[in-house]
Amino acid sequence: MQRSIDSPAQDTRLPLQPSRARYGVVAFGVTLAVLSFVDRIAISQAAPLIARDLHFDKAQMGMVLSAFLLSYSLFEVPGAWYGDLVGARKALIRIVCGWSLFTALTGWAWNLRSMLTIRFLFGIGEAGCFPVITKSFRAWLLPEERTRAQGILWMAARWGGAFTPLLVVWVLRYMTWRLSFVAFGSLGVIWAFFFARSYRDNPEDHPGVNEAEKALLRSSGNNLRDLHRVPWGKLFHSRSVLLLSLQYFFVSFSWYFYLTWLPTYLQEHHHLSAATAAGYAVFPLLFCGIGSFFCGFFSPIVNGWTGNIGQTRKIMAMSGFAGAGICLATATQMKGITATMAMMALACFFNDQVVPHSWASCMDIGGKTASSSVAGVMNLMGNLAGTASSLLGGFILQRSSGDWNLFIAILASVYFLGIFCWPFIDSQRPLDGVS
């Protein structure tokens, strides 16, 4: 009997350490964020070659570049709602395979009409990607892990965007621009294959989740099956949802300057060559990524001081808006290019004190039924802000004979508007009543 008591079987009764399968979900989200930005930005670097081969003028190439943003904005909410309807697994597989197909087909365009059609469909394909990733994080992560995960996600997305031009230049050394889009599209298919094999909408169904991790997730309500009814009435009447979307409009309105007008600003205002301007243009997105990483890992420290996740988000987001506005306004007073870009990079650092908290709030406000849809509404406002910012910039520069400092000062002032949204956002009250 003593041998039976001391047998190895007895060890199985000891408390298990929780497995870490949920961190694999974060890894899938991070790699998908990078692929998303690579596929959407690659065309900007290949634009001169595309214009040459297909005989596009500047206006026509501008139409091609804007086709994605238009459809991406229009279909962001439907794409996010689709994720809430069928679950993150089915939605992301179809989203990624769809956008990968149209990424590859970009290399087969033969005229303006075909290129516009393909890029418009590419935008539809990508729409809903980040909201549905947010839904997967909501299902798998503990509340205290969500902001950190969003910080890592957006760091990867920003850095993916920052270094994509260098990646495309390297790829174009070995293949034509047409084949490069086929290569980029194939990466999404590979991602979808492994995601389909590994991911499950409910952690309870995943073979890599042990009982200890299941118990850990159950304690936060993550064991609940997805409820596929989005409470649209509550969503559109929620003060927190409306203000969360409005503050995301403000943060995106200023941030899109770095994706649209920055290269032109560097060449015209600072008289840099295109190559030198491209080198400086890396720094804003690079520091956005650093800001996201800092936000994700510093938030738990602030939360230890406040004892409340909602209060932590308010403090860090409001500080981010204030810091970004002050730094961007200061950039207009700098004389040299190095000092100017240092202040813009610092503004981007503060910008991304806001972004991870915004997306983490979508998880908690949306709850089990509508986290993807809430994120879709918020991201719709962000992309509309980018469109408005780009158009306003052109109008101001045209009417002011190229007064870049006036344009940048307006962008800085918009940052300060975001401060007034966060005191009234209750990110801890879910629409569906399931926290």
Side-chain angles (χ1 to χ4, degrees), residues 273-296:
S273 67
T276 305
Y280 277 106
V282 169
F283 287 97
L285 286 179
L286 180 66
F287 273 78
C288 276
I290 296 173
S292 288
F293 184 82
F294 175 84
C295 177

Side-chain angles (χ1 to χ4, degrees), residues 67-88:
F68 159 79
L69 189 57
L70 175 62
S71 60
Y72 185 75
S73 300
L74 292 175
F75 286 87
E76 184 71 358
V77 173
W81 168 78
Y82 179 70
D84 280 326
L85 180 67
V86 303

